């Protein structure tokens, strides 16, 4: 069965600094998608960034980028120039058919 | 496009009662998911639909849980004989297809079982 593991329950970063959130997954599939979702306090979950497994190039969305290591089954999220609005729960997710989520990392931004 | 809507937003019930939640996805979205989320945890997959077909139901889900999506439009999630352990946020999400992968979430239905 596919699993998604986020080993960092909480992290903190100073405003304007860079932080990396870790995610590993387990699958026997070769074609799949990986995602990072953000859930601000008491607000709906929104997509931050996605990566297709067949693409070697790491996805980038403005201040957000990923480090996708397919052989290692690792998918980390880097947030550059952290802002107060980045404070949220971040969930790594995997999909080959249904979408499954990790347990999340709570990110605190320190002013 | 009014987004994914869920009803009711909050339900308080006594143990043993049945509850039903409704989800209206974005109109052109053919995939619909139900997740359960407890405080500080990630969304736990419950079930999902492709149009009206239920593709998979979590093995962790007891027979007290059932979901439908008649005519491939709105969906309902029913919990029979509720238990205190059922207290959680029930999230609905929809997407056009797996190619985009972007799930659009509703605000959730919070269940409190007394």
């Amino acid at each position: 069965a596919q699993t998604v593991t986020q080993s960092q329950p909480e992290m903190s970063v100073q405003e304007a600094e860079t932080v990396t959130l870790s995610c590993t997954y387990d699958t026997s599939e070769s074609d799949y998608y990986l995602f990072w979702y953000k859930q601000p306090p008491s607000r709906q979950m929104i997509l931050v960034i996605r990566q297709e497994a067949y693409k070697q190039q790491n996805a980038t969305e403005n201040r957000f980028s990923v480090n996708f290591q397919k052989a290692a089954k690792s998918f980390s999220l880097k947030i550059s120039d952290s802002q107060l609005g980045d404070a949220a729960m971040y969930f790594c997710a995997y999909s080959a058919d249904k979408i499954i989520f990790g347990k999340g990392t709570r990110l605190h931004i320190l002013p | 496009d009014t987004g994914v809507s869920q009803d009711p937003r909050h339900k308080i019930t006594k143990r043993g009662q049945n509850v039903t939640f409704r989800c209206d996805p974005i109109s052109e979205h053919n995939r619909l998911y139900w997740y359960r989320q407890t405080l500080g945890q990630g969304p736990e997959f419950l079930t999902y639909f492709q149009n009206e077909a239920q593709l998979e139901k979590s093995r962790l889900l007891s027979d007290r849980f059932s979901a439908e999506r008649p005519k491939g439009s709105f969906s309902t999630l029913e919990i029979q004989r509720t238990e205190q352990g059922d207290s959680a946020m029930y999230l609905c999400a929809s997407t056009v297809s797996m190619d985009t992968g972007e799930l659009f979430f509703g605000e959730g239905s919070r269940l409190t079982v007394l």
Side-chain angles (χ1 to χ4, degrees):
Chain A
Q2 295 93 352
T3 58
V4 177
T5 302
Q6 294 179 250
S7 59
Q8 305 151 316
E10 287 195 63
M11 292 193 71
S12 297
V13 63
Q14 291 283 345
E15 195 176 0
E17 295 296 309
T18 296
V19 63
T20 298
L21 308 183
S22 301
C23 173
T24 59
Y25 58 95
D26 187 27
T27 183
S28 57
E29 302 286 341
S30 58
D31 292 329
Y32 50 87
Y33 298 84
L34 295 163
F35 313 91
W36 280 96
Y37 279 84
K38 171 185 177 181
Q39 189 175 40
S42 302
R43 293 180 60 187
Q44 291 156 276
M45 190 130 41
I46 57 173
L47 178 68
V48 174
I49 197 167
R50 67 170 163 262
Q51 174 83 40
E52 292 90 340
Y54 66 86
K55 289 186 177 180
Q56 293 186 332
Q57 186 172 7
N58 289 323
T60 299
E61 288 287 344
N62 301 313
R63 297 182 296 108
F64 299 87
S65 61
V66 299
N67 184 3
F68 173 47
Q69 301 291 327
K70 191 172 185 179
K73 295 180 182 174
S74 170
F75 184 61
S76 61
L77 174 69
K78 185 172 80 171
I79 306 174
S80 304
D81 185 26
S82 298
Q83 300 175 0
L84 294 177
D86 295 333
M89 284 288 289
Y90 286 81
F91 296 101
C92 179
Y94 160 97
S95 179
D97 42 29
K98 64 182 183 290
I99 300 174
I100 60 172
F101 289 82
K103 292 185 181 299
T105 296
R106 183 174 299 281
L107 179 63
H108 303 276
I109 309 297
L110 307 175
Chain B
D1 180 1
T2 58
V4 179
S5 63
Q6 294 188 242
D7 183 72
R9 294 289 311 282
H10 195 178
K11 178 71 175 179
I12 301 173
T13 190
K14 293 182 179 180
R15 188 175 53 188
Q17 298 295 305
N18 298 343
V19 296
T20 299
F21 300 115
R22 175 180 171 125
C23 172
D24 287 272
I26 295 172
S27 59
E28 67 268 24
H29 287 187
N30 49 34
R31 283 213 169 180
L32 184 149
Y33 289 78
W34 284 100
Y35 293 90
R36 176 171 61 190
Q37 187 177 29
T38 54
L39 194 62
Q41 298 296 311
E44 175 192 7
F45 170 80
L46 296 181
T47 188
Y48 77 127
F49 294 83
Q50 176 80 21
N51 299 313
E52 68 274 10
Q54 187 174 22
L55 298 184
E56 185 173 340
K57 178 179 175 180
S58 171
R59 288 171 291 177
L60 301 176
L61 219 55
S62 77
D63 291 342
R64 297 184 297 106
F65 288 73
S66 62
E68 294 182 338
R69 192 183 181 197
K71 301 179 183 178
S73 55
F74 70 92
S75 176
T76 58
L77 176 69
E78 181 183 18
I79 309 173
Q80 297 182 324
R81 305 181 301 282
T82 52
E83 302 173 356
Q84 288 186 325
D86 297 331
S87 295
M89 179 74 83
Y90 290 84
L91 299 173
C92 177
S94 68
T95 185
V96 174
S97 73
M98 208 53 255
D99 289 344
T100 65
E102 180 171 5
L103 284 178
F104 291 82
F105 281 83
E107 295 184 6
S109 293
R110 181 171 297 282
L111 173 65
T112 302
V113 181
L114 301 176

